[in-house]
Amino acid sequence: MPAIKYKVNLSDDEKLQLENLLSKGKSAARSQTRARILLKAAAGLQDKDIIQSLDVSASMVAKVRQRCVEEGPEAALKDRQRPGKMAKLTDKQAAHIIAIACSDAPRGHEHWTLRLLADKVVALSYASSFSYEAVRQLLKKHTETLAETGMVYSRSECGICSGYGRRG
């Protein structure tokens, strides 16, 4: 049998916390699975036995063991923070687009559409491409600002419309 690279040693308090987490049943399934892995690893079971009894992958068992040894049992129960995607617009640029949406519509249009605003973002060189859906999400985030300026109307009144003529 190969030697276990990361040996999990849990104190009685840590074992009790993990058992309480499992008995309540209110936590995420991933956290519960990781807690079971930690308890079995602390009991001295080999990886192959843990994999077979919990029906998990070898990499999951190895990663949970490693995180428990290096960062502690609490860190092993949770996912690591993910970086996410960078925003295309800065806060200042977003505020400028909201201000444009609150201004008068361009010549030949009754009101600003999401597609017109997306084209304006590209025309101002804020981004090389910008979708009307991204404009909708931006405006949705700032509905309070738009409501204060009178841009958010009831369904029967005129407001910002998507490119298909529907309200955004």
Side-chain angles (χ1 to χ4, degrees):
M1 284 192 296
I4 297 172
K5 186 173 180 180
Y6 295 99
K7 181 142 176 61
V8 176
N9 294 314
L10 297 174
S11 68
D12 291 337
D13 289 341
E14 291 169 336
K15 286 179 186 176
L16 187 62
Q17 282 180 325
L18 293 174
E19 289 167 356
N20 285 339
L21 178 91
L22 292 172
S23 67
K24 288 181 184 173
K26 296 272 184 182
S27 58
R30 280 186 185 170
S31 296
Q32 290 185 359
T33 302
R34 290 173 182 154
R36 287 185 182 97
I37 290 170
L38 290 175
L39 287 172
K40 289 184 181 288
L45 269 69
Q46 293 290 320
D47 285 359
K48 63 178 180 150
D49 297 328
I50 297 171
I51 293 165
Q52 191 174 25
S53 67
L54 297 178
D55 194 32
V56 294
S57 67
S59 63
M60 182 175 189
V61 174
K63 286 177 186 175
V64 170
R65 275 186 186 270
Q66 181 179 358
R67 285 196 67 197
C68 180
V69 170
E70 291 177 354
E71 303 172 35
E74 285 296 318
L77 294 176
K78 298 181 178 129
D79 287 335
R80 281 202 172 106
Q81 192 90 20
R82 295 189 179 133
K85 190 174 181 179
M86 293 292 295
K88 280 193 171 184
L89 300 179
T90 65
D91 290 340
K92 189 174 182 179
Q93 292 169 336
H96 187 225
I97 296 302
I98 292 168
I100 291 171
C102 296
S103 67
D104 292 333
R107 196 173 288 234
H109 296 278
E110 205 173 304
H111 50 263
W112 282 100
T113 65
L114 296 177
R115 291 181 194 274
L116 282 173
L117 288 168
D119 292 342
K120 188 70 171 178
V121 170
V122 175
L124 291 170
S125 299
Y126 287 165
S128 58
S129 66
F130 206 74
S131 70
Y132 71 91
E133 175 62 15
V135 172
R136 185 193 67 77
Q137 290 173 358
L138 172 72
L139 296 175
K140 185 177 178 182
K141 254 190 230 180
H142 301 283
T143 52
E144 292 171 6
T145 307
L146 295 170
E148 289 170 7
T149 60
M151 276 305 296
V152 177
Y153 301 103
S154 66
R155 290 242 181 241
S156 62
E157 297 177 37
C158 185
I160 297 176
C161 297
S162 67
Y164 299 114
R166 294 182 294 225
R167 304 270 179 248

